[in-house]
């Protein structure tokens, strides 16, 4: 396909595709799927070889969030029967993190529900970061605590946080449909605060919330404009007891096309396969490794993932290798002081694309729901952090 040849050439040059090309990837047929995966795989291997970075989540505080994000099992008014607990003590959080590191995780992601941290919360998380780094030499720590107030990003960086995660989740045009207690610009501001403080920015999206192809392309281009170092791609887990419980819009094939589109738009950025992969990719997860270069190991915040040993076996069987602590994830040109992340020509093209009109685009439609809701694949987390049971890593 001429489209795929063009996208590969652009990806190898770190040149952004046009919005029309990104939409065209999502519009490809199932018959073309392996060609799409193979093309995006060439771009992935150019910048990351066959390495897979492992990340491990520790949910520091679960449930009872005052925000109303429709996709979230921890939201205000959620009836999802998830674990609910207040802040883990630093030593308990460090023990949970150690399980992930022992399983091969290179980065530990510390997450807490809520609108954003208080200054006392930042102190508490700072203690946790210190405890984790004292016990696990060389581990990266990413904090994900919600919206940041002035000065908090700098304090987290001083405490040793290497990265900060705050996802954009969906397009600016539809953000108000999934959340009313904060807006899209609040999320953008928090990512920018993290970057200004010297932390590596991590920001991604959630697919499968009933959005159109145009929405998906919009949020990925917005992410590329923010220029985070890592982009986690989540697939909606439709928890019973949340407003989006009936949104089963994804097939494994569509999930792979979404990942391929993200890779073409973010050729040299760490693309992470995140929550919902087991639910929506199912047996096609190994194919996704040809598109992403990073995954979460084991369980997520409120849902269970597949066994950590199965993740490791999947990576090996697919012909990939776990990235060690002695390897830098990002290509040299994206590391600090390593030069501009995109070419000047690509930056100009981004600006031009941001003003493009999509009215009447045949791809800008909401996909039809799947024929069958696989509720049997949504498993609420009952082990690890906040319980007396060992974690899955």
């Amino acid at each position: 396909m001429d489209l795929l040849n063009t996208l590969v050439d652009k990806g190898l040059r770190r040149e952004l595709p046009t919005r029309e090309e990104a939409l065209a990837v999502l519009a490809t047929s199932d018959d073309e799927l392996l060609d799409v995966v193979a093309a995006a795989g060439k771009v992935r291997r150019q910048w990351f070889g066959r390495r897979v970075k492992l990340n491990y989540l520790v949910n520091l505080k679960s449930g009872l969030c005052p925000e109303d994000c429709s996709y979230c099992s921890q939201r205000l008014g959620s009836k999802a029967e998830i674990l609910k607990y207040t802040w883990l003590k630093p030593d308990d959080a460090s023990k949970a993190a150690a399980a992930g590191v022992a399983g091969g995780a290179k980065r530990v992601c510390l997450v807490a529900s809520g609108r954003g941290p208080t200054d006392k919360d930042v102190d508490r998380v700072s203690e946790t970061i210190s405890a984790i780094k004292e016990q696990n030499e060389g581990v990266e720590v990413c904090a994900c605590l919600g919206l940041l107030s002035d000065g908090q990003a700098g304090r987290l960086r001083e405490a040793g946080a290497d990265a900060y995660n705050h996802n954009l989740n969906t397009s600016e045009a539809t953000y108000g449909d999934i959340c009313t207690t904060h807006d899209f610009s609040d999320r953008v501001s928090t990512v920018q605060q993290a970057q200004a403080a010297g932390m590596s920015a991590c920001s991604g999206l959630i697919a499968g919330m009933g959005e159109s192809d145009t929405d998906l392309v919009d949020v990925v281009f917005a992410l590329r404009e923010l220029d985070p170092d890592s982009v986690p791609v989540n697939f909606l887990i439709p928890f019973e007891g949340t407003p989006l419980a009936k949104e089963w819009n994804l097939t494994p094939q569509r999930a792979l096309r979404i990942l391929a589109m993200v890779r073409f738009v973010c050729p040299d950025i760490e693309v992470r396969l995140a929550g919902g992969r087991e639910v929506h990719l199912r047996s096609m997860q190994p194919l996704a490794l040809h598109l992403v270069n990073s995954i979460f190991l084991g369980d997520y915040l409120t849902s269970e993932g597949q066994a950590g040993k199965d993740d490791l076996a999947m990576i090996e069987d697919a012909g990939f290798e776990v990235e060690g602590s002695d390897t830098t994830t990002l290509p040299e040109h994206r590391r600090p002081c390593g030069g501009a992340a995109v070419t000047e020509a690509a930056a100009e093209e981004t600006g031009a694309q941001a003003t493009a009109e999509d009215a009447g685009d045949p791809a800008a439609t909401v996909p039809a729901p799947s024929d069958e809701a696989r509720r049997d694949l949504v498993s609420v987390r009952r082990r690890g952090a906040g319980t007396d049971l060992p974690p899955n890593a």
Side-chain angles (χ1 to χ4, degrees):
M1 295 173 64
D2 290 342
L3 168 67
L4 297 179
N5 290 334
T6 297
L7 289 170
V8 170
D9 289 344
K10 286 186 173 183
L12 299 184
R13 297 196 305 266
R14 292 186 287 128
E15 181 182 341
L16 288 176
T18 66
R19 294 175 58 82
E20 291 72 23
E21 288 166 343
L23 284 166
V25 172
L26 297 178
T28 54
S29 69
D30 288 350
D31 288 342
E32 299 165 316
L33 181 62
L34 289 181
D35 293 330
V36 172
V37 171
K42 291 180 181 178
V43 178
R44 179 247 199 268
R45 289 191 299 276
Q46 165 73 15
W47 302 114
F48 301 98
R50 303 191 73 82
R51 306 189 311 276
V52 178
K53 180 178 179 179
L54 299 182
N55 309 266
Y56 189 71
L57 284 168
V58 177
N59 198 358
L60 297 178
K61 181 167 72 79
S62 183
L64 307 176
C65 181
E67 303 298 285
D68 68 355
C69 306
S70 298
Y71 52 82
C72 186
S73 59
Q74 305 182 75
R75 73 186 296 271
L76 177 70
S78 171
K79 294 180 174 58
E81 297 180 355
I82 61 169
L83 290 170
K84 297 181 179 69
Y85 52 87
T86 190
W87 290 94
L88 296 181
K89 294 179 180 179
D91 284 347
D92 292 335
S94 183
K95 289 177 183 177
V101 175
K106 185 174 178 178
R107 172 176 286 189
V108 173
C109 304
L110 303 176
V111 189
S113 63
R115 179 179 177 84
T118 64
D119 287 341
K120 183 179 179 180
D121 294 336
V122 172
D123 290 338
R124 181 186 284 111
V125 174
S126 296
E127 292 179 27
T128 300
I129 294 170
S130 297
I132 290 172
K133 292 214 162 189
E134 284 175 6
Q135 298 176 28
N136 301 279
E137 184 178 356
V139 70
E140 298 174 9
V141 176
C142 178
C144 177
L145 311 174
L147 301 173
L148 294 174
S149 301
D150 290 345
Q152 291 183 330
R155 290 175 58 196
L156 289 168
R157 182 70 185 108
E158 290 172 4
D162 300 284
Y164 196 84
N165 166 262
H166 201 58
N167 295 329
L168 298 188
N169 290 329
T170 192
S171 69
E172 183 173 13
T174 58
Y175 196 83
D177 295 337
I178 64 166
C179 181
T180 66
T181 47
H182 62 268
D183 60 32
F184 188 85
S185 64
D186 293 324
R187 289 186 169 267
V188 170
S189 176
T190 288
V191 175
Q192 292 171 332
Q193 287 181 60
Q195 290 171 316
M199 286 188 285
S200 174
C202 173
S203 188
L205 65 141
I206 304 174
M209 297 191 289
E211 70 282 338
S212 68
D213 285 4
T214 298
D215 290 321
L216 286 170
V217 170
D218 281 349
V219 68
V220 176
F221 271 76
L223 287 165
R224 187 57 200 246
E225 186 174 349
L226 272 178
D227 198 30
D229 292 322
S230 55
V231 173
V233 181
N234 297 276
F235 299 107
L236 177 70
I237 301 176
F239 279 98
E240 288 292 327
T242 64
L244 298 184
K246 299 184 183 301
E247 292 287 346
W248 289 83
N249 300 309
L250 297 171
T251 64
Q253 293 82 4
R254 178 163 173 79
L256 288 169
R257 282 192 286 270
I258 291 168
L259 291 170
M261 184 270 287
V262 175
R263 173 55 70 196
F264 286 129
V265 178
C266 305
D268 58 340
I269 291 175
E270 177 188 342
V271 177
R272 184 178 309 147
L273 183 57
R277 63 179 166 96
E278 299 89 346
V279 176
H280 296 292
L281 280 164
R282 302 191 284 276
S283 63
M284 295 181 75
Q285 289 182 73
L287 268 183
L289 295 176
H290 292 271
L291 307 170
V292 305
N293 63 292
S294 178
I295 67 169
F296 279 112
L297 175 73
D299 293 336
Y300 303 99
L301 299 177
T302 61
S303 65
E304 293 186 352
Q306 65 188 23
K309 63 180 178 60
D310 291 341
D311 287 337
L312 297 174
M314 176 180 71
I315 291 169
E316 182 178 3
D317 290 348
F320 293 86
E321 60 185 22
V322 173
E323 181 175 294
S325 59
D326 58 343
T327 302
T328 301
T329 298
L330 295 174
E332 185 174 357
H333 64 270
R334 289 196 61 86
R335 301 172 198 171
C337 303
V342 294
T343 64
E344 183 175 335
E348 291 175 355
E349 184 179 3
T350 304
Q353 291 156 6
T355 62
E357 294 292 330
D358 292 311
D361 193 304
T365 56
V366 177
S370 301
D371 292 336
E372 182 180 1
R374 292 298 308 274
R375 301 191 186 283
D376 58 305
L377 295 174
V378 178
S379 180
V380 174
R381 180 172 69 84
R382 302 295 184 199
R383 60 195 175 196
T387 77
D388 294 328
L389 298 177
N392 171 27

